[in-house]
Amino acid sequence: MKRMFGLTITTLSLAGLLLVGCSSNATEDELKQLEDLKAEVTSLENELASKQSELDNMKKMIAEKDAQLKKCADDKAAAEKALKGM
Amino acid sequence: MKVMIRTLLISVLAMVLTVGLLAQEMPKEEWQNQMNELTAKRDDLQAKLSEVEKAIEEAKTMLDEKNSALKECNDELMALVGEYEASLNAIDSKLTSLAGLSNQALLERKGELDEVATMIATAKTNPLAKVPKYASRLTEFERRLEALRKALEGAAMTYTVGTWAKDRDCLWNIAKKPKIYDNAFLWPKIWQANRSDIKNPDIIHPGQKLTVPPKAPLTPEEKSAVREYWRNKGQ
């Protein structure tokens, strides 16, 4: 009984030591590197969203200018036509 | 036996602590995976950002070009129609100012309605009046002018009688005033409109407020009243 118990304890202790000793963990510097990278990605995502919004606004403005240009060209053509018929 | 149990408990506790400690830390392999994943994501984002920035620059250039083209087009258009549009705007503001007047004030400025009518008629002779947008503006002006004329028809002016010594006010002279009827023979209109206050048209009093109906030919009732007045006067 005593031997059995001793064997169990020894096995558990060895397993614990093996688990701790054989697992290679990231160092503190590496973890910081990972956090910095995450922050950089988040910052890039925000910047991209902002730039995309700026681009969308500009596309909208271009579409408005196109409409104004078309209206101006139509008005000009109508005026020229009327004045030609003087 | 007690010693055995205590030892077993301590060993189990030690195992639990070890596993807990391991759970808080990050295995190197997982760290590497996350690093690879985030690096790829960052590179992708940087590439997209660069694309968007390039597109923004192109859009800015395009917008500048469109602004220049629009300015050029508007300048050319203004050279063609600027003067005509200014004349239409003048009619518009005149009509707006007249529409804001009370009927009484409108009556006092009724001559301006004829001015506006002349301005509209002149504008209609311009070839640009055929351009649909100007044609519709002119139609709108005519509609507004007509509405003002209708308002004027229903409006009645008032006149405060002055003294004989200073103003020579009698119904005949009042009707003769240019801003009233400019026609003395229309005096019965004033008499009939104020019948309750004027029993005898030869007698009006300084300070008396008279209603002056819009200028129009005498109605049969007014003519009949005049005939009766002269009959009575002759007796």
Side-chain angles (χ1 to χ4, degrees):
Chain A
M1 180 67 182
K2 257 187 184 176
R3 187 175 295 167
M4 193 66 180
F5 178 73
L7 200 63
T8 309
I9 295 298
T10 311
T11 309
L12 280 172
S13 305
L14 280 174
L17 284 171
L18 201 69
L19 205 61
V20 176
C22 294
S23 304
S24 172
N25 287 326
T27 63
E28 214 168 284
D29 282 349
E30 286 169 335
L31 286 174
K32 190 180 177 308
Q33 200 182 334
L34 185 66
E35 286 309 309
D36 288 349
L37 192 54
K38 275 182 188 170
E40 191 182 354
V41 165
T42 307
S43 160
L44 279 168
E45 279 171 341
N46 291 338
E47 194 180 351
L48 182 64
S50 157
K51 293 277 180 190
Q52 190 62 54
S53 164
E54 189 184 344
L55 180 62
D56 290 345
N57 275 343
M58 295 193 85
K59 281 181 180 169
K60 205 173 151 189
M61 281 163 76
I62 288 171
E64 280 168 12
K65 292 286 168 196
D66 279 337
Q68 286 172 9
L69 263 170
K70 189 186 176 310
K71 189 181 173 299
C72 181
D74 289 349
D75 286 350
K76 205 176 111 187
E80 280 169 344
K81 191 181 163 194
L83 290 169
K84 264 184 197 165
M86 276 173 84
Chain B
M1 187 65 183
K2 266 187 182 172
V3 174
M4 279 168 65
I5 289 170
R6 197 179 296 156
T7 315
L8 184 64
L9 280 172
I10 290 168
S11 303
V12 169
L13 194 65
M15 282 296 291
V16 169
L17 284 173
T18 307
V19 170
L21 201 66
L22 276 173
Q24 278 182 348
E25 288 180 355
M26 180 184 281
K28 189 100 174 176
E29 198 180 334
E30 193 188 330
W31 173 84
Q32 191 59 56
N33 285 342
Q34 282 195 23
M35 283 296 287
N36 290 345
E37 196 182 312
L38 285 169
T39 305
K41 198 170 179 181
R42 181 196 61 192
D43 294 347
D44 181 46
L45 284 168
Q46 278 172 340
K48 277 183 185 162
L49 194 61
S50 165
E51 269 174 41
V52 172
E53 278 169 345
K54 194 179 161 200
I56 287 174
E57 283 310 309
E58 284 169 2
K60 272 182 187 165
T61 309
M62 195 183 281
L63 201 57
D64 286 346
E65 285 169 6
K66 299 227 180 259
N67 277 331
S68 303
L70 188 61
K71 190 185 174 304
E72 195 180 326
C73 181
N74 278 329
D75 288 348
E76 286 168 5
L77 184 63
M78 276 299 114
L80 290 173
V81 302
E83 205 176 311
Y84 188 63
E85 282 204 355
S87 71
L88 294 188
N89 291 341
I91 297 172
D92 195 358
S93 56
K94 192 93 178 162
L95 281 168
T96 305
S97 102
L98 289 171
L101 297 175
S102 65
N103 282 349
Q104 184 63 37
L106 190 60
L107 260 171
E108 284 162 11
R109 289 171 63 180
K110 63 184 173 185
E112 289 181 38
L113 291 185
D114 295 331
E115 280 174 31
V116 174
T118 309
M119 287 164 86
I120 293 174
T122 309
K124 282 178 93 172
T125 59
N126 192 302
L128 287 170
K130 288 179 198 139
V131 175
K133 79 168 185 174
Y134 299 131
S136 62
R137 268 190 96 180
L138 287 166
T139 309
E140 171 70 8
F141 291 160
E142 283 174 326
R143 192 194 58 72
R144 286 164 65 189
L145 180 64
E146 190 53 34
L148 286 172
R149 285 200 192 283
K150 283 216 168 106
L152 199 59
E153 276 169 24
M157 201 168 140
T158 58
Y159 179 82
T160 306
V161 179
T163 59
W164 176 255
K166 189 181 164 216
D167 308 295
R168 291 281 185 267
D169 268 356
C170 63
L171 290 184
W172 174 273
N173 284 345
I174 291 170
K176 204 167 69 175
K177 286 179 191 282
K179 72 169 198 173
I180 303 291
Y181 294 143
D182 201 18
N183 181 353
F185 291 98
L186 292 179
W187 69 265
K189 290 190 92 61
I190 305 173
W191 176 32
Q192 290 304 293
N194 299 276
R195 200 62 201 258
S196 57
D197 298 326
I198 306 172
K199 304 295 175 204
N200 179 350
D202 291 331
I203 303 170
I204 52 173
H205 306 285
Q208 198 172 356
K209 270 197 191 315
L210 302 179
T211 301
V212 181
K215 185 178 180 179
L218 293 179
T219 62
E221 293 78 22
E222 288 161 351
K223 284 178 184 169
S224 161
V226 177
R227 276 195 297 273
E228 199 182 329
Y229 164 76
W230 286 116
R231 248 197 317 272
N232 293 338
K233 208 167 169 74
Q235 281 172 3

